[in-house]
Amino acid sequence: MSFARKVWRLLVGIKDGLALIFLLLFFTALFAVLSARPNPGFVREGALLLDINGQVVEEVAPIDPLQALISQTVPVREYAARDLVRAIDAAAADARIEVLALDLTGFLGGGAVHMSEIAGALDRFSAAGKPIYTYAYAYGDDAMLLAAHSDEIWVDPMGGVAITGPGGESLYFAGALDRFNVTANVYRVGTYKSAVEQWTDRGMSPEARENLSQLVATLWQEWRANVRAARPQADIELVTTDVAGWLAASNGNIAEASLAAGLADRVGTRVEWGERIATEVGADEWSDEPGAFASTLYDPWLAEVRQGVSFGNKGRIAVVTVDGEISDGEAGPGSAGAARIARLLDEALDDDLDALVVRVNSPGGTVTGSETIRRAILRHRDAGIPIAVSMGNYAASGGYWIATPAQRIFAEPETLTGSIGVFLVVPSFEQLLAEYGVTTDGVQATALSGQPDVLAGFTPEADAVLQATTASFYTRFLTLVSEARGISMERADELGQGRVWDGGAARQLGLVDQFGDLDAAIAWAAERAELEEGEYQVRYLGSDAPKYDTLLAQLLLGGSDAQEEARDVAGIFAGQQMAQLHRVLDDFDRLMAVEGVQARCLECTAMPATHRSRGASSPSRSWLEVAGRLLGN
């Protein structure tokens, strides 16, 4: 019996050991699946197929594949603007690439500066003597701007072109808050700081309307100038001022109307578009799909381009990216978590850098987060190296706060900047509770005991402290601007007051130094560091690994050849309204979060295609799901 027990224990031990080994192998394999990069594919002679099935951004946000599986939503694929520009420029110089095939069917747009940068790369590709053929089921503003730089624009017979221009309606909640007896306690400094008006008013103030009207007019002018320069035959006035007459002339056929207005060259299906390109580069011998042509996909092409980049070894220039709303924590990439960005900057202090370039694409956020990043930048300036700031689509409010340590600020005409002002909004529910018979009572040692109290309401003393805090932050903001730009406090206040400026106005007013993109800022920093072109390497701080390089993420998003969801003109309009609803929900999230005093530009996030929702997922997300999120607030 004793022998049998020993044998049994031995068998149980072997079983447990095998189970542990199996579990270890299973989790090792799972880790490999989640972290291993797929085969980058092949680069072939023929066309470079850019199937931009998602949104163009400054910095690609990471995907949590397991969270995506649990939530059963498909994340929106994001494309870094600089990667697209790099891919197009490399293709222009590579003899294997004869044609650029641009498929914008699933394109969700991007910021104005990003669109201008990509359009510039398309022009350089054309200047190399190589044709560009663009196809989309339907075109919105951003897609049309890129397509205008093509040799041939194809539109599907069931699609068309819909030019809307910037602007639109915003929601104001003062009436709703009154109805539900919710008090919005507002503290702000700045005549033009309209970020609080949605909670306090039933419509735009005259100052906010003046400011936003000027911004919309500037962006619209820049868009039209870009399209007209690339495509002089486009009758933009016709399709935006007499829409009904324009469509009636083509019997309501939007595709044919687009052709007649010079916005498209050919009406045809994607198969016919592919067959047209095949006459230039040959058919795809590896595929029997209709309309297939010899091509290289974006992902393998970008992988090869990255592998072929050579750097000098004499100097080092670091680029740190501040993208998205500024918060105090570790958020990002794709969101500007101040603690994360400050850590990246501090770690780089030991890297013997010759210069630092700060790429800012942010509407601002918390004052404390902005100051954390500013101080981290200052530590590099104190180390004696040149500091340049490159502004993207926007660098406003907190985004401008962190630009103040720079010795040179670069922006583009479409950049939105300024918004020098601060505010704080805190909801309280004392009237709502009183309506249902809930009262409060207690003992306080001082008038500030238990304050601010979102249930019992704020005392005058709490109001005074919060307003004084907000005002002191504004004074600090003006001091930073005054010292950085070499102007008086009074002049800084004139340029401040929360007013948003476009890049052209900001340059004239001295808030930025010159027009130029990120490459121009890097070149300036290299010159100040006495580095010749080709002698230095540019290092982007943070993880530069592609965020779509795991097998599971590839399964969620599909590869470069994934079939995107075709959107007609009505689908484009619906997508714009869904994006607006997401902005509303994000505003409610911020109201309830109460993240402290804010230096944030509301006008910036209201501009088309610049807003990344806190919970961005597939644009096909149903209205019912969005309503559920609203009710969940």
Side-chain angles (χ1 to χ4, degrees):
M1 194 69 179
S2 175
F3 175 75
R5 281 198 299 267
K6 290 180 180 179
V7 171
W8 175 252
R9 290 173 181 171
L10 177 62
L11 293 176
V12 170
I14 294 174
K15 183 264 295 180
D16 291 342
L18 291 174
L20 289 174
I21 293 173
F22 173 78
L23 289 173
L24 179 62
L25 292 174
F26 171 78
F27 285 110
T28 301
L30 180 62
F31 176 79
V33 166
L34 295 179
S35 60
R37 300 167 187 260
N39 189 308
F42 299 94
V43 173
R44 306 162 57 193
E45 293 185 357
L48 172 61
L49 174 56
L50 289 187
D51 184 356
I52 308 180
N53 186 19
Q55 185 176 17
V56 174
V57 298
E58 180 67 35
E59 185 179 45
V60 175
I63 287 178
D64 184 345
L66 295 179
Q67 181 61 36
L69 285 175
I70 294 171
S71 64
Q72 297 183 347
T73 58
V74 179
V76 173
R77 175 157 187 183
E78 297 178 340
Y79 298 80
R82 67 170 177 262
D83 285 343
L84 289 169
V85 170
R86 182 188 302 177
I88 296 170
D89 284 340
D94 196 305
R96 293 172 296 176
I97 303 300
E98 305 170 32
V99 169
L100 179 60
L102 188 59
D103 187 347
L104 300 177
T105 298
F107 181 47
L108 300 178
V113 170
H114 290 155
M115 295 300 98
S116 180
E117 291 172 347
I118 297 171
L122 294 175
D123 286 341
R124 292 189 291 273
F125 187 92
S126 294
K130 301 181 179 183
I132 303 173
Y133 300 107
T134 301
Y135 168 84
Y137 203 92
Y139 294 86
D141 292 13
D142 291 339
M144 190 64 231
L145 187 145
L146 297 185
H149 296 262
S150 307
D151 293 271
E152 285 185 12
I153 301 177
W154 287 63
V155 63
D156 193 270
M158 299 291 290
V161 179
I163 305 302
T164 60
E169 300 291 319
S170 298
L171 296 183
Y172 292 81
F173 304 102
L177 296 180
D178 289 343
R179 179 177 179 181
F180 294 105
N181 289 321
V182 176
T183 303
N185 301 278
V186 174
Y187 313 91
R188 72 171 182 177
V189 182
T191 303
Y192 294 91
K193 204 61 184 175
S194 61
V196 301
E197 290 183 356
Q198 65 184 136
W199 309 113
T200 60
D201 300 332
R202 297 173 183 266
M204 299 179 70
S205 66
E207 295 82 5
R209 186 176 301 278
E210 173 200 350
N211 195 187
L212 192 56
S213 296
Q214 181 265 325
L215 296 176
V216 167
T218 299
L219 292 177
W220 182 226
Q221 178 182 351
E222 292 290 337
W223 186 94
R224 288 184 297 173
N226 192 319
V227 172
R228 282 172 176 162
R231 194 172 182 83
Q233 69 269 36
D235 193 345
I236 301 172
E237 300 302 323
L238 172 64
V239 302
T240 56
T241 59
D242 185 18
V243 178
W246 165 56
L247 295 176
S250 298
N251 296 319
N253 188 317
I254 303 180
E256 292 295 339
S258 302
L259 195 66
L263 298 176
D265 300 299
R266 302 281 295 272
V267 175
T269 65
R270 193 185 190 282
V271 171
E272 293 169 333
W273 172 72
E275 291 172 346
R276 169 69 178 90
I277 298 175
T279 64
E280 297 274 348
V281 301
D284 189 350
E285 298 178 354
W286 296 359
S287 173
D288 57 0
E289 292 185 5
F293 52 89
S295 63
T296 297
L297 302 178
Y298 170 72
D299 287 329
W301 175 253
L302 183 61
E304 176 164 304
V305 169
R306 283 172 169 166
Q307 292 173 359
V309 174
S310 59
F311 300 102
N313 53 16
K314 184 178 178 180
R316 296 179 181 178
I317 298 178
V319 178
V320 64
T321 302
V322 182
D323 182 38
E325 294 192 12
I326 299 171
S327 60
D328 295 311
E330 292 282 341
S335 182
R340 176 184 63 86
I341 294 171
R343 175 169 42 79
L344 292 175
L345 287 166
D346 288 344
E347 290 173 353
L349 286 170
D350 299 326
D351 292 345
D352 194 24
L353 298 178
D354 294 283
L356 173 67
V357 177
V358 184
R359 175 67 169 181
V360 183
N361 188 66
S362 171
T366 65
V367 170
T368 50
S370 303
E371 178 65 8
T372 296
I373 298 173
R374 188 192 72 86
R375 292 177 183 179
I377 297 171
L378 272 179
R379 287 191 281 273
H380 282 268
R381 183 165 177 171
D382 292 342
I385 65 172
I387 307 293
V389 162
S390 169
M391 294 181 170
N393 300 307
Y394 41 30
S397 212
Y400 195 85
W401 185 298
I402 64 178
T404 54
Q407 295 151 309
R408 197 75 174 172
I409 297 179
F410 293 77
E412 299 286 8
E414 303 93 337
T415 299
L416 301 183
T417 188
S419 190
I420 300 168
V422 297
F423 68 92
L424 172 65
V425 182
V426 185
S428 60
F429 307 94
E430 65 277 8
Q431 297 182 52
L432 176 63
L433 294 178
E435 180 181 357
Y436 289 93
V438 180
T439 58
T440 61
D441 197 3
V443 177
Q444 296 84 28
T446 72
L448 292 176
S449 297
Q451 290 291 321
D453 192 331
V454 298
L455 300 180
F458 293 7
T459 63
E461 291 80 4
D463 283 333
V465 169
L466 294 175
Q467 181 60 42
T469 300
T470 306
S472 68
F473 282 166
Y474 180 64
T475 301
R476 175 60 176 160
F477 203 165
L478 293 182
T479 302
L480 294 176
V481 174
S482 171
E483 294 174 351
R485 309 312 298 170
I487 58 178
S488 66
M489 286 283 287
E490 292 75 18
R491 179 56 176 164
D493 190 32
E494 291 175 5
L495 300 178
Q497 292 292 318
R499 179 156 190 158
V500 185
W501 305 98
D502 61 81
R507 183 187 179 192
Q508 292 178 345
L509 296 169
L511 290 176
V512 303
D513 295 300
Q514 69 182 76
F515 289 148
D517 58 10
L518 178 59
D519 289 338
I522 293 173
W524 177 89
E527 181 181 357
R528 287 292 298 267
E530 300 181 351
L531 297 172
E532 298 292 334
E533 185 175 354
E535 292 182 345
Y536 57 89
Q537 59 176 294
V538 179
R539 176 191 167 200
Y540 289 87
L541 301 184
S543 173
D544 58 358
K547 303 305 180 185
Y548 301 92
D549 61 350
T550 70
L551 179 59
L552 189 50
Q554 289 284 331
L555 292 174
L556 285 170
L557 294 170
S560 296
D561 57 349
Q563 289 294 318
E564 66 274 357
E565 179 182 348
R567 298 194 304 162
D568 57 14
V569 172
I572 291 176
F573 290 158
Q576 292 171 347
Q577 294 306 307
M578 288 291 286
Q580 182 182 16
L581 184 54
H582 278 297
R583 285 195 294 270
V584 171
L585 297 178
D586 287 347
D587 287 339
F588 271 106
D589 286 343
R590 294 187 194 94
L591 176 66
M592 296 304 172
V594 191
E595 297 169 318
V597 178
Q598 299 283 304
R600 185 166 62 87
C601 170
L602 178 66
E603 294 87 346
C604 298
T605 55
M607 290 295 107
T610 59
H611 178 80
R612 175 193 271 136
S613 172
R614 292 185 169 193
S617 60
S618 171
S620 61
R621 189 178 192 178
S622 71
W623 289 95
L624 187 59
E625 287 182 90
V626 177
R629 182 183 165 199
L630 177 61
L631 294 174
N633 284 324

